[in-house]
Amino acid sequence: MRKSPWVLLIFILIGGLLGGILGEILHVLAPHGTIQNVFATHFTPGINPPLTIDLVLVKLTIGFSLKINLLSVLGMFVGVFMYKHM
């Protein structure tokens, strides 16, 4: 069976989303200390503030932001692992 790169992308996105959700849950439920510092710390790359182009007739606002934590990265690796063993 031939594997599609789109399926790999879906596995990576779902793994990242589930890991990110788990990281947010740990951020709320974990006591303050080492566990919360390791798993709940996030990195936010993106365009901040968003780029705005005003052409009088049309005003375009372009921007994005990613919130990446350790568990979302681990979730992406699990997604790749599951894709390879599918």
Side-chain angles (χ1 to χ4, degrees), residues 5-80:
W6 292 106
V7 175
L8 174 62
L9 183 65
I10 290 171
F11 271 77
I12 291 172
L13 287 174
I14 290 173
L17 285 172
L18 292 177
I21 290 169
L22 185 60
E24 290 296 320
I25 291 171
L26 274 177
H27 178 71
V28 171
L29 296 179
H32 293 285
T34 307
I35 293 174
Q36 191 174 36
N37 289 339
V38 171
F39 291 114
T41 303
H42 62 272
F43 172 64
T44 310
I47 300 173
N48 191 13
L51 174 67
T52 302
I53 302 170
D54 190 1
L55 301 174
V56 180
L57 181 62
V58 177
K59 187 173 187 179
L60 301 171
T61 303
I62 302 168
F64 72 93
S65 178
L66 299 173
K67 188 174 180 182
I68 301 171
N69 61 17
L70 180 63
L71 288 176
S72 63
V73 172
L74 290 175
M76 289 178 199
F77 282 123
V78 169
V80 171

